[in-house]
Amino acid sequence: YTANDVRNVSAPRREQYFAQDGDQLFVKPVLRSRVTFREHNLLADAYGANYDLIVCRNVLIYFDLEHKTSILERIAKSMAPDGFHFTASSACGCV
């Protein structure tokens, strides 16, 4: 990341979770080990359970209302009780 990319991250969190090498910042292993990035077919793949965070930025805009509703219902069922789901506001004409 660049300094501009993390400008909204507080200084204590930047120090705790990022290492700097020249002009670049890298996520430290303490945080990287807690995050999983993976490909997931929202219509066909099984959803897991107890997710703390699901980010679906700019993906739901490609689905019709019926599929958006189905996907959001499946996401809601897969979240941990205090979990968070982020999606682009333009994608959710169904809620």
Side-chain angles (χ1 to χ4, degrees), residues 17-82:
Y17 295 119
F18 292 89
Q20 190 158 355
D21 184 10
D23 292 339
Q24 297 293 310
L25 291 111
F26 299 90
V27 177
K28 290 181 179 179
V30 66
L31 180 58
R32 184 178 291 275
S33 67
R34 299 185 68 195
V35 177
T36 302
F37 293 92
R38 64 182 171 157
E39 196 172 298
H40 182 86
N41 182 321
L42 294 170
L43 296 175
D45 292 344
Y47 285 56
N50 267 343
Y51 289 108
D52 295 313
L53 172 68
I54 296 178
V55 179
C56 294
R57 184 170 180 223
N58 296 331
V59 68
L60 292 177
I61 60 174
Y62 299 104
F63 296 99
D64 61 27
L65 182 59
E66 178 184 349
H67 287 105
K68 285 181 190 181
T69 302
S70 172
I71 290 166
L72 290 171
E73 287 172 352
R74 294 174 77 187
I75 287 172
K77 290 177 184 175
S78 68
M79 299 298 301
D82 293 329

